[in-house]
Amino acid sequence: MPADTPRFLDTAPAGYLAIRASSQCVVYANATVCRTIGRAPSDVVGRRVHDLFADSSVDTVTALLTASPDADTETPIGATADLLTGPDSVLSMLVMANRDIQDDDSTIRFTLHSATSHRIREQTLIEARDGALTAQATTAHALTRSQDALEAAEDARKVAEAERTQIQILATTLQRTLLPPVLSSPPGTDVAAYYHHAVIEEVGGDFYDVFPLDESTWGFFLGDVSGKGPGAAAVTSLTRYTLRAAAVFDRDPITVLQNLNTVLYHEFRGDDPRFCTVLFGTITPAVDEKTTTIRLASGGHPPALHLRADGSAEYIDTIGGQLVGALRTAQFRAADVILKAGDVLLLYTDGLTEAHVGPGKARYDDAGALETFANDAAPTTAARIVDDLVGLLNSFGSGLQDDVAVLALGAP
C-alpha cells in the first residue's frame, strides 16, 4: 500500500485500484477488489490494469484512463466494464475514474461497485449484530446464575456496547459517503437540502444530488431505495453513480431513468431484489435569467411541489411513473416546469408524508396536509422552505419513523 493511501480504503465496501498514469500499472489494490477477483495483492500490484479486465472491456478501460478528470475540481466519469474473476468468468462492474495530478506523474483512481462486495459487507454487519445479541443474552444468563458472574457479565456488556458503537460509526460513515458534502447551485438558482437520519444504527436509502452537465445545464435528483442497511447502501451508491453517468451521455430525464432501470433490474433481480423511486431533472436558466426551465421525470416517486411567488402551490403532475428496477421495461412520466422569480420547486421522500401523527395509524399527508403546508408557506425561498420543513419534522417526534430527504430549488 502506498504511504499516502488511507488505511480505511483496504476494507472499504467498494473495490479500489490506484494506477500510475505513465505506465498504466496498478500501484495499489484494496482487499475488496482482490477478494472479488480471487487474487493476492502481490499478484495485482505491478500488473497493467488492462490485464484485470476482459478483452471486451479493454477499450473502455483505456477510455477511462485517458479521460479521467481531475479529482480536485471535476466529477468522476464512469462506465461499465467486465472484471476478470477467473479464467472463464467475469463480473460486470460500474467503474468510476478520476485523476490525482502531481508534478512528475499522476495517479488514476478506479472505484468499482458491484453487488458482490456490498453483500460481503452486509454479511459482516449481520455477523457483528448477531455477535452483539449473543453477548447480551450471555450477560443476562450469567446474572441469573450467580452473583459471582457479575464481573464477567459486565465485561460482556461492554463488549456488546463496543460492537454496537462500532456498527453506529460504520453506518454513519457510510451514510455520509452517499450524500454530497456540499451542494453547488446552478446559475440563477438557489439550492437547499436536508437529510433526517431516523435510526443511527442503520444506513438509510434516501439520496439526492445537484451537479453540472455543461455551462448552461445542470442535473439533479432525489430518491428513495427500498430497505435499509448495507444492501440499500449498495443500491444507493450504484443509483447515484448511474444517474450521473447516464445524464452525461443523454440528459433526457426519461432516458436517464430508463438507463437506471436497466442497471438495477439486471443487477438486483435475484434472491435479493432491489428497486427505488426517484425524481430526475435538468435545470436550464434562461438567457435573461428571469425564468428557469426544469425538465422533470418520475419513477414511482411522490410528485414535486411548485411553490409560486404569487402565494399558491400545486403538485407537478408526474403521477403514473413506475418503480425503477422492479420491471424489465418500466414506464416513466415527465413534465416541464417554468420557475419564475420567487418560485420554488420542492422535492421530498415519503418519510415526510407517511409520518404517523395523531391516534391510530393516521399519516401526516393522508388528508392533503403537505399541500396545505406549502400553500401557507408560499411565497418563500429554497432555504426558508427547508427550514420550515425541519421544524415540521421535529414536531412529529416519535411519529417520524423513516429517513427523510428534502431538496429545494428556488429562483431568487
Side-chain angles (χ1 to χ4, degrees):
M1 183 187 302
D4 59 348
T5 301
R7 290 193 174 275
F8 68 81
L9 281 179
D10 204 45
T11 57
Y16 182 87
L17 294 172
I19 305 146
R20 189 70 65 199
S22 57
S23 64
Q24 297 185 347
C25 289
V26 176
V27 296
Y28 170 69
N30 74 348
T32 301
V33 74
C34 290
R35 183 169 53 247
T36 300
I37 64 179
R39 294 184 180 182
S42 59
D43 293 334
V44 179
V45 173
R47 298 175 66 95
R48 291 185 73 245
V49 68
H50 298 79
D51 297 342
L52 304 179
F53 292 86
D55 292 343
S56 59
S57 298
V58 168
D59 290 343
T60 300
V61 173
T62 299
L64 289 171
L65 291 170
T66 303
S68 57
D70 188 345
D72 293 331
T73 60
E74 301 179 65
T75 301
I77 61 173
T80 301
D82 291 333
L83 187 69
L84 292 172
T85 58
D88 300 310
S89 61
V90 297
L91 180 63
S92 181
M93 308 291 288
L94 176 65
V95 183
M96 306 303 297
N98 58 16
R99 181 185 299 262
D100 183 12
I101 299 177
Q102 302 171 0
D103 293 338
D104 54 345
D105 201 351
S106 58
T107 301
I108 300 169
R109 309 168 183 168
F110 275 10
T111 305
L112 298 86
H113 298 266
S114 75
T116 301
S117 59
H118 291 289
R119 283 170 182 160
I120 292 172
R121 176 59 60 183
E122 183 176 25
Q123 184 61 37
T124 301
L125 287 176
I126 291 173
E127 291 173 356
R129 181 203 63 190
D130 292 344
L133 294 176
T134 300
Q136 289 176 333
T138 301
T139 300
H141 181 64
L143 286 172
T144 57
R145 284 194 312 173
S146 70
Q147 187 65 28
D148 294 339
L150 180 59
E151 184 176 349
E154 181 65 13
D155 291 341
R157 186 195 64 79
K158 291 179 179 179
V159 170
E161 187 66 29
E163 291 178 345
R164 196 161 46 246
T165 301
Q166 191 66 28
I167 293 174
Q168 292 176 356
I169 293 172
L170 179 59
T172 302
T173 302
L174 184 56
Q175 186 75 69
R176 289 174 180 170
T177 67
L178 300 177
L179 297 172
V182 177
L183 279 180
S184 301
S185 296
T189 306
D190 289 335
V191 175
Y194 175 73
Y195 192 98
H196 168 76
H197 196 180
V199 181
I200 195 170
E201 293 87 354
E202 294 181 334
V203 182
D206 294 9
F207 58 91
Y208 59 82
D209 205 353
V210 181
F211 55 97
L213 292 171
D214 56 38
E215 293 182 355
S216 61
T217 304
W218 287 56
F220 68 93
F221 54 79
L222 178 140
D224 184 3
V225 167
S226 61
K228 293 183 179 297
V235 184
T236 300
S237 179
L238 180 59
T239 297
R240 291 183 71 249
Y241 284 118
T242 301
L243 287 172
R244 276 178 164 265
V248 170
F249 295 102
D250 190 332
R251 64 192 56 179
D252 176 68
I254 292 288
T255 303
V256 172
L257 293 188
Q258 288 171 341
N259 287 332
L260 176 62
N261 186 78
T262 299
V263 172
L264 293 186
Y265 180 79
H266 288 287
E267 189 75 15
F268 297 103
R269 63 175 176 170
D271 296 333
D272 186 25
R274 298 278 183 170
F275 53 84
C276 71
T277 67
V278 63
L279 286 171
F280 176 87
T282 59
I283 309 169
T284 307
V287 176
D288 58 8
E289 296 191 356
K290 292 183 179 179
T291 61
T292 298
T293 300
I294 293 180
R295 300 192 64 204
L296 188 67
S298 174
H301 198 81
L305 274 163
H306 187 181
L307 288 74
R308 297 190 176 88
D310 63 9
S312 63
E314 66 176 358
Y315 288 108
I316 304 301
D317 185 11
T318 53
I319 299 297
Q322 296 176 322
L323 294 173
V324 184
L327 303 172
R328 180 185 297 274
T329 302
Q331 302 296 319
F332 305 116
R333 286 289 305 277
D336 290 341
V337 183
I338 302 298
L339 289 188
K340 299 180 181 179
D343 287 2
V344 173
L345 186 70
L346 176 65
L347 290 73
Y348 53 91
T349 55
D350 59 10
L352 165 63
T353 56
E354 295 180 359
H356 293 286
V357 295
K361 296 183 179 180
R363 299 180 299 184
Y364 169 68
D365 198 42
D366 282 347
L370 182 58
E371 186 174 12
T372 301
F373 177 87
N375 274 284
D376 292 341
T380 187
T381 64
R384 189 184 308 151
I385 190 62
V386 169
D387 286 344
D388 290 344
L389 283 170
V390 171
L392 176 65
L393 294 173
N394 290 337
S395 72
F396 292 153
S398 60
L400 188 58
Q401 300 176 357
D402 196 5
D403 288 6
V404 178
V406 295
L407 175 66
L409 308 169

